[in-house]
Amino acid sequence: QQQVKQSPQSLIVQKGGISIINCAYENTAFDYFPWYQQFPGKGPALLIAIRPDVSEKKEGRFTISFNKSAKQFSLHIMDSQPGDSATYFCAASRRNTPLVFGKGTRLSVIA
Amino acid sequence: GAVVSQHPSRVICKSGTSVKIECRSLDFQATTMFWYRQFPKQSLMLMATSNEGSKATYEQGVEKDKFLINHASLTLSTLTVTSAHPEDSSFYICSAPSDTDTQYFGPGTRLTVL
């Protein structure tokens, strides 16, 4: 049973455009929803995270939108740049438990 | 953010040998650390939860006798792949949650078993 479903699997965006990646979860006990960015051969790096008490969180060009009733959350990358090309993973967890990851989205930002 | 290190970053070994991978939290203490495995172009799969001062908790399908985990201190967890075989070749990544529950990942260890 896949607890966190991520889409799309791959995404191509023009430079300057908005990249949108969506995730849906099943376990209503989850209370922590991070997004990680991973470059080839590197470990995942935390981008931004949100807890269910807010519906949106913005850090620079990255925004998480969270819909608790729909059990969905998404990552928006504004003004996408070629350097943003990487694999993005959404995840979810409860306190003191390991993260459950989505399958990842490979983003390519083209000039 | 907090820093988690892993050593070595790459290791190549012969089939049948054992390999130890270290995971350290450099600027915070972690009573729990997690070990993941990642195959090319796939997501991270949790292997086990490392607990300081007690036995590790393994995920279903992960052989505890093959993947030995020791959480020796509040800043160090080790994963030993025993009697490694080519199918154990993978990218192994550890993570540690900080006191704010944010999980920080190490840079990963690329294991190649010949």
Side-chain angles (χ1 to χ4, degrees):
Chain A
Q1 182 186 19
Q2 185 185 352
Q3 294 192 59
V4 178
K5 294 184 179 180
Q6 183 172 347
S7 63
Q9 188 174 7
S10 62
L11 181 63
I12 300 174
V13 174
Q14 291 275 5
K15 178 182 176 182
I18 302 174
S19 304
I20 301 174
I21 305 171
N22 301 297
C23 281
Y25 63 98
E26 298 169 4
N27 188 343
T28 55
F30 288 147
D31 61 3
Y32 177 65
F33 303 90
W35 285 89
Y36 287 85
Q37 178 189 59
Q38 186 179 31
F39 292 104
K42 305 294 184 184
L46 179 66
L47 259 184
I48 186 171
I50 198 168
R51 294 194 184 272
D53 52 343
V54 296
S55 60
E56 185 175 283
K57 183 175 182 180
K58 183 177 181 179
E59 290 183 0
R61 295 186 295 112
F62 302 95
T63 300
I64 296 180
S65 296
F66 183 80
N67 186 328
K68 187 175 182 178
S69 60
K71 294 187 288 185
Q72 295 176 346
F73 59 110
S74 60
L75 175 70
H76 295 228
I77 305 175
M78 312 299 286
D79 188 25
S80 299
Q81 299 297 312
D84 296 330
S85 298
T87 299
Y88 293 81
F89 293 97
C90 65
S93 72
R94 293 179 289 118
R95 189 166 180 82
N96 292 327
T97 64
L99 291 166
V100 177
F101 282 89
K103 291 193 173 184
T105 296
R106 182 168 291 198
L107 171 65
S108 297
V109 181
I110 56 176
Chain B
V3 179
V4 174
S5 70
Q6 273 184 249
H7 177 80
S9 57
R10 289 177 178 269
V11 57
I12 301 173
C13 69
K14 292 183 179 180
S15 185
T17 61
S18 294
V19 174
K20 180 186 284 189
I21 303 170
E22 292 186 348
C23 177
R24 293 181 185 273
S25 55
L26 298 184
D27 52 0
F28 66 100
Q29 294 182 332
T31 56
T32 301
M33 291 184 178
F34 303 107
W35 286 95
Y36 295 84
R37 183 174 181 175
Q38 187 178 34
F39 290 106
K41 297 183 180 181
Q42 293 190 22
S43 188
L44 289 80
M45 292 182 57
L46 179 67
M47 297 176 65
T49 300
S50 173
N51 304 298
E52 192 269 336
S54 64
K55 292 183 179 180
T57 305
Y58 291 83
E59 295 300 300
Q60 190 173 10
V62 177
E63 299 177 59
K64 62 179 181 180
D65 294 331
K66 181 167 186 62
F67 298 99
L68 300 179
I69 291 173
N70 185 304
H71 201 133
S73 73
L74 289 172
T75 59
L76 173 64
S77 174
T78 60
L79 168 68
T80 301
V81 183
T82 62
S83 186
H85 287 91
E87 58 266 30
D88 298 324
S89 298
S90 189
F91 193 51
Y92 292 88
I93 313 172
C94 68
S95 75
S98 69
D99 56 358
T100 60
D101 218 21
T102 300
Q103 285 204 33
Y104 295 96
F105 282 82
T109 297
R110 172 75 59 195
L111 171 63
T112 303
V113 185
L114 303 177

